[in-house]
Amino acid sequence: MTPRRRATLRDIAAALDLSVNTVSRALAGKDAVSAETRERVRAEADRLGYVPNTMARSLVLQNAMTIGLVITNPSNPFYTRLISAIEERGRVHGYSLMLMVTEDSVDNERRVVEELMRWGVDGVLAVPVQDGAEHWDRLRKSGVPVVLLNRDLPGLDTDLVGVDYRDSARRATGLLVDGGARDLYLLEEDLDISPVAERIRGFRAVLDERGIAVGADRIIRVPTRRREASSQPWDPVDSYAIGRELAGRVGPGSAVLAGNDYFALGLYRAFTEHGLRIPRDVAVAGHGDHPFAAYLGPPLTTVRLPAARVGATGVDRLLERMAGEGAPETTLFPAELIVRESATGTEAG
């Protein structure tokens, strides 16, 4: 079957014996066209299945009305919420969203930046791989504003909107220490990215302040699967294997803070199989407040990340830069500590 040709303004004009200019003004709701003519034009447009050519309009107006969004992996629940917030906020201002995924590969990121330049997007929101800023700087110097989300690039003179991960780790670690923990572990990703570095700093800061030794073996880096497959940012099997080894070392007065709730999920199974009780024998806390966190046994104490707030603010900041307003600034939002039974033995939030 031959594909049906896309209906144009000329098709509508020919069917109604009107000029293309009149049809265009009628569809745009211009006052110079009578209500009767506008109604006839709209009815014929519906009959023909006419859809405005946004790309052609962009060429005329030199404005794509499109925001590029570059993220590392859409299956991360944080980024799922981030995407929704950005799309919603952009739509309010008449902007469409072009989503690009890098899988934490700098080669993919460079290719994505080139594609965004070719498409002529109006601005870009990006979660960078954090392996070089030259391609981002080239995009910015071409006249396309860039606002970074969740991860910093110190070599790039642009805005950053994200989460205060140092504070989130401080608060979670402080809760564990206040509950009596003195033998603490931190499970983190093996990626060299700013959220991980900031959580490690927050964890260390609390223990230093409380006079608790932090040995090198207390900060454990968990292999990430994102370099191998795009289907899942983390896999509980990695932390499960680590948890089985930890189970022989931990006991009353021990606690583990996980950099994400998937790591905590693996720990739960390993500790339970070893006969350890959470939190009586070992307290556990996570990061992310993923949907399953409240339904674990016991419910998981975790940190709820302000993904929607980061996304909406990122769009607002980008629109300001697209309008030539303001100077680059950094905005880090606090996370919310959700206290449940895994860290205290009582439900508190």
Side-chain angles (χ1 to χ4, degrees), residues 69-116:
L69 173 59
V70 181
I71 62 173
T72 57
N73 191 301
S75 62
N76 181 333
F78 175 86
Y79 293 131
T80 301
R81 295 191 290 268
L82 186 80
I83 292 168
S84 296
I86 290 172
E87 194 280 330
E88 181 179 357
R89 191 66 145 225
R91 182 168 13 99
V92 169
H93 293 279
Y95 284 87
S96 299
L97 193 64
M98 179 181 289
L99 177 63
M100 313 290 275
V101 177
T102 65
E103 297 295 347
D104 267 309
S105 161
V106 68
D107 291 334
N108 288 344
E109 188 175 77
R110 291 192 185 103
R111 175 185 54 78
V112 161
V113 169
E114 292 296 330
E115 290 184 19
L116 291 170

Coordinates of all heavy atoms in Angstrom, one line a residue, residues 69-116:
L69 N 16.7 17.3 26.3 CA 17.0 16.7 27.6 C 17.9 15.5 27.4 O 17.6 14.6 26.8 CB 15.7 16.3 28.3 CG 15.9 15.6 29.6 CD1 16.6 16.4 30.6 CD2 14.5 15.1 30.2
V70 N 19.1 15.6 28.0 CA 20.1 14.6 27.9 C 20.2 13.9 29.3 O 20.6 14.6 30.3 CB 21.4 15.1 27.5 CG1 22.4 14.0 27.4 CG2 21.3 15.8 26.2
I71 N 19.9 12.6 29.4 CA 20.1 11.9 30.7 C 20.9 10.7 30.5 O 21.1 10.3 29.3 CB 18.7 11.5 31.3 CG1 17.9 10.6 30.4 CG2 17.9 12.8 31.6 CD1 16.7 10.0 31.0
T72 N 21.3 10.1 31.6 CA 22.1 8.9 31.5 C 21.4 7.6 31.3 O 21.8 6.7 30.5 CB 23.0 8.8 32.7 OG1 22.2 8.7 33.9 CG2 24.0 9.9 32.8
N73 N 20.2 7.5 32.0 CA 19.4 6.2 31.9 C 18.0 6.4 32.3 O 17.8 6.8 33.5 CB 20.1 5.1 32.7 CG 19.5 3.7 32.5 OD1 18.3 3.5 32.6 ND2 20.3 2.8 32.0
P74 N 17.0 6.3 31.5 CA 15.6 6.6 31.8 C 15.0 5.6 32.8 O 13.9 5.9 33.3 CB 14.9 6.6 30.5 CG 15.7 5.7 29.6 CD 17.2 5.9 30.0
S75 N 15.6 4.5 33.0 CA 15.0 3.5 33.9 C 15.3 3.8 35.4 O 14.7 3.2 36.3 CB 15.5 2.1 33.6 OG 16.9 2.0 33.8
N76 N 16.2 4.7 35.6 CA 16.4 5.2 37.0 C 15.2 5.9 37.5 O 14.7 6.9 36.8 CB 17.6 6.2 37.0 CG 18.0 6.7 38.4 OD1 17.1 6.8 39.3 ND2 19.2 7.0 38.6
P77 N 14.5 5.5 38.5 CA 13.3 6.2 39.0 C 13.4 7.7 39.2 O 12.4 8.4 38.9 CB 12.9 5.4 40.3 CG 13.6 4.1 40.1 CD 14.8 4.3 39.4
F78 N 14.5 8.1 39.6 CA 14.7 9.6 39.8 C 14.5 10.3 38.5 O 13.9 11.3 38.4 CB 16.1 9.9 40.4 CG 16.4 11.3 40.5 CD1 16.1 12.1 41.6 CD2 17.1 12.0 39.4 CE1 16.4 13.4 41.7 CE2 17.4 13.3 39.5 CZ 17.0 14.1 40.6
Y79 N 15.1 9.7 37.4 CA 15.1 10.4 36.1 C 13.7 10.2 35.5 O 13.3 11.1 34.7 CB 16.2 9.9 35.2 CG 17.5 10.3 35.7 CD1 18.6 9.4 35.8 CD2 17.8 11.6 36.1 CE1 19.8 9.8 36.3 CE2 19.0 12.0 36.5 CZ 20.0 11.1 36.6 OH 21.3 11.5 37.1
T80 N 13.0 9.2 35.8 CA 11.6 9.0 35.3 C 10.8 10.2 35.8 O 10.0 10.8 35.1 CB 11.0 7.7 35.8 OG1 11.8 6.6 35.3 CG2 9.6 7.5 35.3
R81 N 10.9 10.5 37.1 CA 10.1 11.6 37.7 C 10.6 12.9 37.2 O 9.8 13.9 36.9 CB 10.2 11.6 39.2 CG 9.6 10.3 39.9 CD 9.4 10.5 41.4 NE 10.7 10.4 42.0 CZ 11.3 9.3 42.5 NH1 10.7 8.1 42.3 NH2 12.5 9.3 43.1
L82 N 11.9 13.0 36.9 CA 12.5 14.3 36.4 C 12.0 14.6 35.0 O 11.6 15.7 34.7 CB 14.0 14.1 36.3 CG 14.8 15.4 35.9 CD1 15.0 16.3 37.1 CD2 16.2 14.9 35.4
I83 N 11.9 13.5 34.2 CA 11.4 13.7 32.8 C 10.0 14.2 32.8 O 9.6 15.1 32.1 CB 11.5 12.4 32.0 CG1 13.0 12.0 31.8 CG2 10.8 12.5 30.7 CD1 13.2 10.6 31.3
S84 N 9.1 13.6 33.7 CA 7.7 14.0 33.7 C 7.6 15.5 34.1 O 6.8 16.2 33.5 CB 7.0 13.1 34.7 OG 6.9 11.8 34.3
A85 N 8.4 15.9 35.1 CA 8.3 17.3 35.6 C 8.8 18.2 34.5 O 8.2 19.3 34.3 CB 9.1 17.5 36.8
I86 N 9.8 17.9 33.8 CA 10.3 18.8 32.7 C 9.3 18.9 31.6 O 9.1 19.9 31.1 CB 11.7 18.2 32.2 CG1 12.7 18.4 33.3 CG2 12.1 18.9 31.0 CD1 14.1 17.8 33.0
E87 N 8.8 17.7 31.2 CA 7.8 17.7 30.1 C 6.6 18.6 30.4 O 6.1 19.4 29.6 CB 7.4 16.3 29.8 CG 6.7 16.1 28.4 CD 5.2 16.5 28.5 OE1 4.6 16.4 29.6 OE2 4.7 17.0 27.5
E88 N 6.1 18.4 31.7 CA 4.9 19.2 32.1 C 5.2 20.7 32.1 O 4.4 21.5 31.6 CB 4.5 18.7 33.5 CG 3.3 19.4 34.0 CD 2.8 18.9 35.4 OE1 3.5 18.0 35.9 OE2 1.9 19.5 36.0
R89 N 6.4 21.1 32.7 CA 6.7 22.5 32.8 C 7.0 23.1 31.4 O 6.6 24.2 31.1 CB 7.9 22.7 33.7 CG 8.2 24.1 34.1 CD 7.1 24.7 35.0 NE 7.7 25.6 36.0 CZ 7.4 25.6 37.2 NH1 6.5 24.7 37.7 NH2 7.9 26.5 38.1
G90 N 7.6 22.3 30.6 CA 7.9 22.8 29.2 C 6.6 23.0 28.4 O 6.5 24.0 27.7
R91 N 5.7 22.1 28.6 CA 4.4 22.2 27.8 C 3.6 23.4 28.2 O 3.0 24.0 27.4 CB 3.6 20.9 28.1 CG 2.3 20.9 27.4 CD 1.6 19.5 27.5 NE 2.1 18.6 28.4 CZ 1.6 18.4 29.6 NH1 0.6 19.1 30.0 NH2 2.1 17.4 30.4
V92 N 3.7 23.8 29.5 CA 3.0 25.0 29.9 C 3.5 26.2 29.1 O 2.7 27.2 28.8 CB 3.2 25.3 31.4 CG1 2.8 26.6 31.9 CG2 2.5 24.2 32.2
H93 N 4.8 26.2 28.8 CA 5.4 27.4 28.1 C 5.4 27.1 26.6 O 6.1 27.9 25.8 CB 6.8 27.6 28.6 CG 6.8 28.1 30.0 ND1 6.6 29.4 30.4 CD2 7.0 27.4 31.2 CE1 6.7 29.6 31.7 NE2 6.9 28.4 32.2
G94 N 4.8 26.1 26.1 CA 4.7 25.8 24.6 C 5.9 25.1 24.0 O 6.0 25.0 22.8
Y95 N 6.7 24.4 24.9 CA 7.9 23.7 24.4 C 7.7 22.2 24.4 O 7.1 21.7 25.3 CB 9.1 24.1 25.2 CG 9.7 25.5 25.0 CD1 9.2 26.6 25.6 CD2 10.7 25.7 24.0 CE1 9.6 27.9 25.3 CE2 11.2 26.9 23.7 CZ 10.6 28.0 24.4 OH 11.1 29.3 24.1
S96 N 8.2 21.6 23.3 CA 8.3 20.1 23.2 C 9.6 19.7 23.8 O 10.5 20.5 23.9 CB 8.1 19.7 21.8 OG 6.9 20.1 21.3
L97 N 9.7 18.4 24.0 CA 10.9 17.8 24.7 C 11.5 16.8 23.7 O 10.9 15.9 23.2 CB 10.5 17.1 26.0 CG 11.6 16.8 26.9 CD1 12.4 18.0 27.4 CD2 11.1 16.0 28.1
M98 N 12.8 16.9 23.5 CA 13.6 16.0 22.7 C 14.5 15.2 23.7 O 15.4 15.8 24.3 CB 14.4 16.6 21.7 CG 15.3 15.7 20.8 SD 16.3 16.5 19.6 CE 15.0 17.0 18.4
L99 N 14.2 14.0 24.0 CA 15.0 13.2 25.0 C 16.1 12.4 24.3 O 15.9 11.7 23.3 CB 14.0 12.2 25.7 CG 14.6 11.2 26.7 CD1 15.2 12.0 27.9 CD2 13.6 10.3 27.2
M100 N 17.3 12.5 24.9 CA 18.5 11.8 24.4 C 19.1 11.0 25.6 O 19.1 11.6 26.7 CB 19.5 12.7 23.8 CG 18.9 13.7 22.8 SD 18.3 13.0 21.3 CE 19.8 13.0 20.3
V101 N 19.6 9.8 25.3 CA 20.2 9.0 26.4 C 21.6 8.7 26.1 O 21.9 8.3 25.0 CB 19.3 7.7 26.6 CG1 20.0 6.8 27.6 CG2 17.9 8.0 26.9
T102 N 22.5 8.8 27.1 CA 23.9 8.5 26.9 C 24.4 7.2 27.5 O 25.5 6.8 27.1 CB 24.8 9.7 27.5 OG1 24.6 9.7 28.9 CG2 24.3 11.0 26.9
E103 N 23.7 6.6 28.4 CA 24.2 5.4 29.1 C 25.6 5.6 29.8 O 26.4 4.7 29.8 CB 24.2 4.2 28.2 CG 22.9 3.8 27.6 CD 21.9 3.3 28.7 OE1 22.4 3.0 29.8 OE2 20.8 3.2 28.4
D104 N 25.8 6.9 30.3 CA 27.1 7.2 30.9 C 28.3 6.9 30.0 O 29.4 6.6 30.5 CB 27.2 6.4 32.3 CG 26.7 7.3 33.4 OD1 27.1 8.4 33.5 OD2 25.9 6.7 34.2
S105 N 28.1 7.1 28.7 CA 29.2 7.0 27.8 C 29.6 8.3 27.2 O 28.7 9.0 26.6 CB 28.8 6.0 26.6 OG 29.7 6.2 25.5
V106 N 30.8 8.7 27.3 CA 31.2 10.1 26.8 C 31.1 10.1 25.3 O 30.8 11.1 24.7 CB 32.6 10.5 27.3 CG1 33.7 9.6 26.7 CG2 32.9 11.9 27.0
D107 N 31.4 8.9 24.6 CA 31.3 8.9 23.2 C 29.8 9.1 22.8 O 29.5 9.9 21.8 CB 31.7 7.5 22.7 CG 33.2 7.4 22.8 OD1 34.0 8.4 22.8 OD2 33.7 6.2 22.9
N108 N 28.9 8.5 23.5 CA 27.5 8.7 23.2 C 27.1 10.2 23.4 O 26.3 10.8 22.7 CB 26.6 7.8 24.1 CG 26.6 6.4 23.7 OD1 27.1 6.1 22.6 ND2 26.2 5.5 24.5
E109 N 27.7 10.8 24.5 CA 27.3 12.1 24.9 C 27.8 13.1 23.8 O 27.1 14.0 23.4 CB 28.0 12.5 26.2 CG 27.6 13.8 26.7 CD 28.1 14.1 28.1 OE1 29.3 14.4 28.2 OE2 27.4 14.0 29.1
R110 N 29.0 12.9 23.3 CA 29.5 13.8 22.2 C 28.6 13.7 20.9 O 28.3 14.7 20.3 CB 30.9 13.4 21.8 CG 32.0 13.7 22.9 CD 33.4 13.6 22.4 NE 34.4 13.8 23.4 CZ 35.0 12.8 24.0 NH1 34.8 11.5 23.6 NH2 35.9 13.1 24.9
R111 N 28.2 12.4 20.6 CA 27.3 12.3 19.5 C 26.0 13.0 19.7 O 25.4 13.6 18.8 CB 27.0 10.8 19.2 CG 26.0 10.5 18.1 CD 25.8 8.9 18.1 NE 25.4 8.4 19.3 CZ 24.2 8.5 19.9 NH1 23.2 9.2 19.2 NH2 23.9 7.9 21.0
V112 N 25.4 12.9 20.9 CA 24.2 13.5 21.3 C 24.3 15.0 21.1 O 23.3 15.7 20.6 CB 23.8 13.1 22.7 CG1 22.7 14.1 23.3 CG2 23.2 11.7 22.8
V113 N 25.4 15.6 21.6 CA 25.5 17.1 21.5 C 25.5 17.5 20.0 O 24.9 18.5 19.7 CB 26.8 17.5 22.2 CG1 27.2 18.9 21.9 CG2 26.7 17.3 23.7
E114 N 26.2 16.7 19.2 CA 26.2 17.0 17.7 C 24.8 17.0 17.2 O 24.4 17.8 16.3 CB 27.2 16.1 17.0 CG 28.6 16.2 17.3 CD 29.2 17.6 16.9 OE1 28.7 18.1 15.9 OE2 30.1 18.0 17.6
E115 N 24.1 16.0 17.6 CA 22.7 15.9 17.0 C 21.8 17.0 17.5 O 21.0 17.6 16.7 CB 22.1 14.5 17.5 CG 22.7 13.3 16.9 CD 22.0 12.0 17.3 OE1 20.8 12.1 17.8 OE2 22.6 10.9 17.1
L116 N 22.0 17.4 18.8 CA 21.2 18.6 19.3 C 21.6 19.9 18.5 O 20.7 20.7 18.2 CB 21.5 18.8 20.8 CG 20.9 17.7 21.7 CD1 21.5 17.9 23.1 CD2 19.4 17.7 21.7

